[in-house]
Amino acid sequence: MTFTKHLATCATALMMSGPALAAPVAVTTVLDPQEQMRFEMGDGSKHFVLAVRREGVSEGDGVLAGANVTEFGWHDINPPHAGDPQGYLRFTAENGDVAIIKFTVRAVFMKGEEKPVLHDDGFWELVNGTGQFAGLRGVGHLKIEPAGGPKRLFTLTGEIADAP
């Protein structure tokens, strides 16, 4: 068999087997603080760090929908300049399977009518899991918005597929 025919045979076999398709994810979760510690810098600025554990239930589409969600977050905020929230989201499905999502956000303050408006946008990555989430990887966009009082609305969009 010539090299060209061999390549054509291999390419055909790969196309017939098809690539593993990524499953879309689009979930929202209102997270309510359960524990938090606020650290003031004490330098006359508004700069603070918030360590927080928040909980909620995800709604939407994909394998993360309907799960109990716990945030373990570290939000380094320096109003009215910017901030760097980061942390982990633990999604626990009804059957007990766990997906661990790592998130990184950039908080940007923009001029509002009465006060600066905060825009929290970043990305998430599925880094580990058990049961149905074992052996999966995922990535996507994350947005954090106020949801009344200390509650926050987390919106995750992206995709999850088998790890390479």
Side-chain angles (χ1 to χ4, degrees):
M1 178 182 285
T2 68
F3 181 70
T4 305
K5 285 184 182 178
H6 181 69
L7 277 177
T9 302
C10 290
T12 301
L14 284 173
M15 287 189 298
M16 297 292 281
S17 67
L21 298 177
V25 171
V27 294
T28 59
T29 305
V30 174
L31 294 173
D32 191 11
Q34 305 301 304
E35 295 179 272
Q36 59 184 32
M37 292 176 57
R38 183 177 170 129
F39 304 99
E40 303 288 341
M41 294 299 138
D43 60 359
S45 73
K46 296 180 180 181
H47 187 188
F48 67 93
V49 173
L50 183 69
V52 64
R53 180 178 62 84
R54 297 179 176 130
E55 294 181 349
V57 177
S58 65
E59 298 177 356
D61 299 312
V63 296
L64 300 176
N68 289 317
V69 182
T70 302
E71 174 201 2
F72 304 101
W74 180 263
H75 299 253
D76 184 353
I77 308 295
N78 190 6
H81 305 292
D84 296 298
Q86 60 183 315
Y88 290 88
L89 299 170
R90 180 179 63 206
F91 285 76
T92 305
E94 288 183 20
N95 66 0
D97 293 349
V98 173
I100 303 297
I101 303 282
K102 181 177 182 179
F103 71 88
T104 303
V105 171
R106 182 65 176 161
V108 177
F109 289 87
M110 299 171 75
K111 185 175 174 79
E113 287 187 29
E114 295 179 23
K115 63 179 185 174
V117 177
L118 180 60
H119 295 269
D120 283 317
D121 289 277
F123 62 92
W124 61 267
E125 175 188 2
L126 175 61
V127 295
N128 202 5
T130 66
Q132 66 182 320
F133 302 111
L136 298 180
R137 294 298 305 259
V139 67
H141 176 257
L142 170 67
K143 184 163 191 65
I144 304 173
E145 299 173 282
K151 296 179 182 181
R152 295 295 178 262
L153 174 66
F154 280 58
T155 302
L156 288 80
T157 55
E159 53 189 37
I160 294 177
D162 290 335

